[in-house]
Amino acid sequence: MDTSPGRWLLLETLTEDLEPTLVADDAQAKQWTESARLHRSIGLAPARLAIDAVRRCAGGETSQRAVVGATLMLAEPVRCAFGGVHGVQIWIGPAYAPVRPRRRVAAWDFEADTELAHHGPGLEELVFARAPEQVQVVRTPPDAFGRMVRFDGRVDYFDMATRLEPGGRWQGEVDMLGDDARVRRFQMVTRARPDQHRVSALMHAIPELGDDAVAVDSDVTMLRAVSQRSTVGVGFILLASAVIYEWAAEPPLPLDRWAVERPTIDPADMAVLRAACAAAARQPDTVQRFELRVRFAEGEWIRARAELVTITTGATGHGLLRVWSAVDGESTGA
């Protein structure tokens, strides 16, 4: 165990109109501690330097370094896919002592209008242990949420992400399954950005709290296992926004691209889907049946049949959407 003096602090800068807040002290999560209170734990002079460095990094400057008396302060920005800074890591330690390696932190954004996630530098390597040649910047929600083996706060998170209200925020722990079949634990810190119709976030690796974690969401795990036996596509859907955030069973041909691509849904049918979501929320014991026309990239329109039911676990506000081709292989003209 590393007992060298000094520690890394993580401050989030997810929204430009709010002051940075402390969200982690090494592996220990902090609940949105105002930066003005940093002096209580690191001293007045280092705190002033740290806050100034955070603002400089958030304003576009690169790494910062300063020595105050016998104290060394370093600042390293955490950049998002759009080039902005979603967080700053601050090292506070004795000037004479070695600096421990930085915490592993990366950023992402979810755009509500496009229903696409944008992964910042290093995020896929960190969260998914992904090989460099497999890394992508833009992903659909199922690409990420389908890898969560534990997400205890999913109801509160999705409520925040759907409402996108000023001041909306959520943080907690999530366990993610990597491409190497290992489970890794992360502190996920998120804020709503209603001015940009976006959720911005940080993922902070906290292996000290249990890599290869065995704790799982048993209800969701059971639903996934049952869905894998299905011959149709089975997706988890937010009833408030009609966003499909995970495919427990990937849709069959010719709808298979839905697993990795967000298709265009005919506007009239999109209204039908939203109405079905609203009806399922009002009457959770009913089954909603309807048809959708979807199109992938420049392809033809495909008629899909669908059934929607609510999830009867603690995940209120969520549903299961079953989809399959109206007639195997049949599609309508573009």
Side-chain angles (χ1 to χ4, degrees):
M1 180 178 178
D2 192 337
T3 58
S4 60
R7 63 199 199 260
W8 282 103
L9 308 176
L10 176 61
L11 287 92
E12 58 83 18
T13 56
L14 295 169
T15 55
E16 295 89 348
D17 58 336
L18 296 175
E19 286 295 310
T21 66
L22 177 68
V23 292
D25 186 336
D26 277 334
Q28 184 179 1
K30 297 291 184 179
Q31 293 295 319
W32 318 100
T33 303
E34 295 178 1
S35 55
R37 298 170 60 189
L38 276 178
H39 68 278
R40 298 181 181 180
S41 57
I42 65 176
L44 186 58
R48 286 174 176 169
L49 272 179
I51 294 170
D52 181 64
V54 168
R55 289 173 177 160
R56 287 176 179 272
C57 288
E61 296 189 24
T62 56
S63 306
Q64 306 287 307
R65 185 183 190 278
V67 177
V68 182
T71 301
L72 170 66
M73 189 281 302
L74 302 175
E76 298 287 347
V78 181
R79 299 194 180 278
C80 70
F82 301 103
V85 175
H86 279 2
V88 180
Q89 295 193 70
I90 299 288
W91 170 261
I92 299 291
Y96 60 84
V99 177
R100 283 191 279 113
R102 266 183 288 165
R103 307 289 303 180
R104 301 189 67 198
V105 184
W108 57 262
D109 294 270
F110 174 74
E111 293 194 311
D113 293 341
T114 64
E115 297 178 11
L116 295 173
H118 297 257
H119 290 174
L123 182 131
E124 297 214 335
E125 295 92 332
L126 172 63
V127 176
F128 306 122
R130 189 147 289 159
E133 64 273 13
Q134 300 297 324
V135 168
Q136 295 182 28
V137 173
V138 180
R139 296 279 186 179
T140 63
D143 289 331
F145 291 108
R147 293 303 189 98
M148 287 184 170
V149 299
R150 186 177 68 93
F151 187 10
D152 295 339
R154 70 172 62 221
V155 173
D156 292 334
Y157 165 77
F158 282 120
D159 181 65
M160 180 276 295
T162 301
R163 293 176 183 272
L164 279 181
E165 295 175 339
R169 64 188 187 183
W170 181 91
Q171 70 160 295
E173 294 178 13
V174 297
D175 291 347
M176 306 293 296
L177 179 66
D179 291 353
D180 57 358
R182 283 186 59 194
V183 174
R184 294 172 175 83
R185 183 159 292 178
F186 295 88
Q187 175 191 13
M188 189 165 85
V189 181
T190 65
R191 278 193 184 273
R193 304 184 67 179
D195 58 323
Q196 299 185 26
H197 293 254
R198 180 183 297 172
V199 173
S200 294
L202 293 170
M203 296 292 279
H204 170 211
I206 45 175
E208 298 92 337
L209 302 187
D211 264 7
D212 291 317
V214 296
V216 297
D217 184 328
S218 58
D219 290 327
V220 173
T221 299
M222 181 176 66
L223 283 171
R224 287 170 174 161
V226 171
S227 298
Q228 287 297 320
R229 305 189 188 101
S230 177
T231 58
V232 302
V234 181
F236 291 87
I237 187 170
L238 293 175
L239 299 180
S241 62
V243 172
I244 300 168
Y245 61 89
E246 178 184 342
W247 288 106
E250 296 183 358
L253 289 168
L255 300 168
D256 54 311
R257 288 173 62 183
W258 209 337
V260 294
E261 181 181 335
R262 178 181 178 271
T264 298
I265 299 178
D266 180 87
D269 294 340
M270 189 68 208
V272 170
L273 173 58
R274 292 185 183 280
C277 287
R282 289 193 308 270
Q283 300 172 301
D285 295 329
T286 61
V287 178
Q288 309 297 319
R289 295 183 176 89
F290 49 95
E291 288 195 0
L292 300 171
R293 290 206 324 155
V294 302
R295 181 166 66 181
F296 301 98
E298 303 302 321
E300 297 181 330
W301 289 100
I302 303 169
R303 283 197 299 118
R305 288 186 178 147
E307 290 183 350
L308 174 64
V309 297
T310 57
I311 296 177
T312 56
T313 68
T316 55
H318 299 242
L320 281 182
L321 180 70
R322 301 173 71 247
V323 296
W324 64 96
S325 175
V327 176
D328 288 344
E330 177 185 316
S331 62
T332 62

